[in-house]
Amino acid sequence: MADYVSEGGSLRCVFGERLDTVNCMSLEKELLEKIKEMKSPVVFDMEKVQYIASSFLRICFQVTKEVGAGNLSLIKVNPEIKKVLKIAGVDKYIKID
Amino acid sequence: MPEETVVLENDISELETLRKALDGFGAKNSLSQNTVIEINLVLEEAVVNIIYYAYENKKERHKIVIGLGFENEVVVLRVEDDGVPFNLLHSPEPLFDTTAKEMKIGGLGIHLIRKLANSVSYHRTDGKNILTVQMRKQ
C-alpha cells in the first residue's frame, strides 16, 4: 500500500495514486504498526497522490495522535488535495507543503 | 435529471464500480479531472455512510441508486437508499477547536460532502432516503 523509507531520523511514507476508502482500509493497520515500531517523526510523501477520501483524513489524525502534534508533515501535495485537506481542517494540526 | 443511473449493492467493493462509472460520465460530458475527483469524493462518502450505517443486517443485499445529471451548468447528484432514515444535514460538524489529541475522529466524510457541494438537500419518500447534491463544475 505504501513504501517506507527511514531517513534523517524520520519515517517517510510514499503513497500511490489513490487513497480511497478501500485502499485506506489495508493501509491504516500497516501504517500504524510501522509508526508504533519506529517511534520517529513521520513524513507523508504525497507526490503521486491524486485522490483522497475521508478515511485518509482519519489516518492523518490517528498518526498525529500517535506521534504528537508537529511530528507529522505532508509534502509534495497537489492543489486539489490541498483544497480537500483545508476543507477538512487537517491543516490546523498538520504541516502541509 | 438524472441523465445516467448507476445501481450499486451495499458492499464496499462497489466503490470501484462507482469510480469507473464516474470516469465514463466525466469523459462523456467533458468534465475536468478536478470535477470528477470531487464528484467521486462526495459520492464515495455518501455511499460508504450508507454501507456502514443504513442497514442493521449488513449481509442483506440492498440497492443504492445513484443519479447523475445536470441542471444548467450545475452537476446534480442523487443518492437513493432504502436504509434507516438518515438526514446528514442534521449531523453535528466535527470539532476543530480542540487539540489533535482531544479531537474526536468522525463525521469527516459528511463534513466534506457539505463543504464541497453547492447545495445539499434531503427528503424521505416511500421508505427511501433521497439525498440530492448540486456541485459546480471546476
Side-chain angles (χ1 to χ4, degrees), chain B residues 91-111:
Chain B
S91 289
E93 288 282 339
L95 298 172
F96 289 122
D97 54 352
T98 56
T99 65
K101 209 157 206 167
E102 291 166 337
M103 187 175 177
K104 286 181 182 148
I105 303 168
L108 287 167
I110 290 172
H111 177 68

Side-chain angles (χ1 to χ4, degrees), chain A residues 22-33:
Chain A
V22 173
N23 288 341
C24 284
M25 283 163 82
S26 36
L27 176 67
E28 184 173 347
K29 190 170 178 280
E30 168 193 296
L31 187 61
L32 286 170
E33 276 174 10

Side-chain angles (χ1 to χ4, degrees), chain A residues 17-22 25 50-55 57-59 61-62 64-66 68-69 78 80-81 83-90 92-93, chain B residues 12-13 15-16 19 33-34 36-38 40-42 44-45 48 52 95-106 108-109 111-112 115-116 138:
Chain A
E17 205 172 298
R18 284 184 72 88
L19 293 170
D20 56 19
T21 305
V22 173
M25 283 163 82
Q50 299 292 320
Y51 181 90
I52 59 170
S54 68
S55 40
L57 306 176
R58 182 186 151 86
I59 289 176
F61 286 122
Q62 280 183 316
T64 301
K65 284 187 177 190
E66 194 60 45
N78 85 26
E80 181 61 24
I81 304 282
K83 178 181 169 184
V84 175
L85 292 167
K86 284 189 175 176
I87 284 172
V90 173
K92 290 181 185 145
Y93 302 99
Chain B
I12 208 78
S13 65
L15 292 173
E16 184 61 13
R19 185 185 72 77
Q33 193 189 1
N34 284 351
V36 175
I37 284 172
E38 291 191 7
N40 194 343
L41 180 51
V42 163
E44 176 165 341
E45 299 301 340
V48 166
Y52 285 167
L95 298 172
F96 289 122
D97 54 352
T98 56
T99 65
K101 209 157 206 167
E102 291 166 337
M103 187 175 177
K104 286 181 182 148
I105 303 168
L108 287 167
H111 177 68
L112 285 178
K115 291 286 182 184
L116 287 169
Q138 299 292 309

Side-chain angles (χ1 to χ4, degrees), chain B residues 49-124:
Chain B
N49 214 51
I50 293 165
I51 293 169
Y52 285 167
Y53 304 113
Y55 304 109
E56 277 180 27
N57 181 353
K58 291 183 173 39
K59 287 180 184 165
E60 267 180 20
R61 292 297 94 184
H62 294 263
K63 302 278 184 216
I64 302 168
V65 182
I66 313 284
L68 307 168
F70 298 93
E71 274 175 19
N72 302 318
E73 284 302 290
V74 176
V75 182
V76 183
L77 313 171
R78 182 183 150 108
V79 183
E80 185 182 303
D81 70 85
D82 62 353
V84 295
F86 176 69
N87 182 352
L88 63 77
L89 295 170
H90 292 163
S91 289
E93 288 282 339
L95 298 172
F96 289 122
D97 54 352
T98 56
T99 65
K101 209 157 206 167
E102 291 166 337
M103 187 175 177
K104 286 181 182 148
I105 303 168
L108 287 167
I110 290 172
H111 177 68
L112 285 178
I113 294 173
R114 286 164 161 168
K115 291 286 182 184
L116 287 169
N118 239 12
S119 74
V120 182
S121 65
Y122 167 86
H123 62 277
R124 177 122 181 135

